[in-house]
Amino acid sequence: MRKLLLAPVLLAALPLGGCIKFGAEPPPSLLKLEADATMPTGQTVSSATTRSIAVAVPSVPQELAVTRVPVRSGDTAVAYLKDAQWVEAPNRMFARMLGDTISVRTGRVVLGMRQSLSDPGARLGGELRQFGIDADTNEAVVVYEATLVRDRRAAAEGTRPALTFEKRRFEARVPLAEIVPAAAGAALNQAANRVAGEVADWVGK
């Protein structure tokens, strides 16, 4: 009886082998962010002679906790652009872009959050609220809600009365002729650089 029962099961399983796929196939190319402002090779800056700032990786809502490009339609609908995928999480790439831009525009030493534990400089954090495509307006949209703790060193030395906490919302929109991966990636890169530049100017005040 046991042999008679096993045979149909094995025969039924055989045709399924050619249909099994482990993971989705990657798109033809991946997208990445590139900062317009980059520090020259060989240049050295030191926190002994200039102010420092720690830049945290922004938190994100669930729709951005992936490497895909969200496309919003209306107030509540979200889909993902076919064949559009980042090389890594967009909030991590955006944090590096912020660091590069702040370093070049302000001359500050940009640190990671772990490095900042031993340096009482300023701290920049926040949430990347939007980083995708608005299908209703055909625009790439980047929205970053930033929080800034101004120089803690100055407060400790008494040159400022106390720590100051600031919050500001930054938004950039870049029009798209067509919602396709290459155009979406380029427009989002442009919008992200615009936001990074405005954040750097704010930090440098």
Side-chain angles (χ1 to χ4, degrees):
M1 285 295 292
R2 187 172 297 173
K3 289 182 179 180
L4 292 174
L5 289 172
L6 285 174
V9 174
L10 291 173
L11 289 173
L14 287 176
L16 297 177
C19 300
I20 297 174
K21 292 185 179 180
F22 296 94
E25 294 182 1
S29 61
L30 299 176
L31 306 174
K32 72 170 188 174
L33 296 180
E34 193 70 33
D36 290 340
T38 56
M39 180 181 291
T41 302
Q43 180 177 331
T44 301
V45 291
S46 171
S47 61
T49 56
T50 188
R51 291 182 293 175
S52 65
I53 182 170
V55 177
V57 175
S59 61
V60 291
Q62 186 60 39
E63 72 178 70
L64 296 179
V66 292
T67 55
R68 303 179 69 185
V69 178
V71 180
R72 289 190 174 192
S73 179
D75 295 329
T76 58
V78 178
Y80 288 97
L81 184 59
K82 183 181 178 181
D83 293 332
Q85 185 172 322
W86 298 107
V87 296
E88 63 176 314
N91 57 334
R92 293 189 174 278
M93 292 189 293
F94 183 65
R96 281 199 295 274
M97 177 181 284
L98 283 173
D100 290 344
T101 306
I102 291 171
S103 179
V104 171
R105 289 206 180 195
T106 69
R108 292 195 179 205
V109 177
V110 176
L111 306 173
M113 294 308 292
R114 290 185 179 180
Q115 296 170 314
S116 71
L117 295 176
S118 58
D119 186 286
R123 291 193 179 190
L124 176 69
E127 181 180 11
L128 193 58
R129 299 294 298 271
Q130 290 188 51
F131 201 86
I133 306 302
D134 186 336
D136 296 330
T137 61
N138 270 32
E139 293 175 315
V141 183
V142 175
V143 178
Y144 175 53
E145 287 194 355
T147 55
L148 176 64
V149 181
R150 294 275 179 190
D151 298 330
R152 294 175 294 151
R153 178 181 299 168
E157 293 173 351
T159 56
R160 289 192 179 184
L163 293 179
T164 57
F165 296 83
E166 300 178 21
K167 185 172 184 178
R168 185 169 174 179
R169 181 185 177 99
F170 298 88
E171 180 175 336
R173 291 176 172 265
V174 174
L176 277 170
E178 186 179 6
I179 302 178
V180 294
L188 282 167
N189 190 75
Q190 183 179 343
N193 269 290
R194 189 178 300 171
V195 168
E198 293 176 0
V199 172
D201 293 342
W202 176 53
V203 167
K205 288 183 179 179

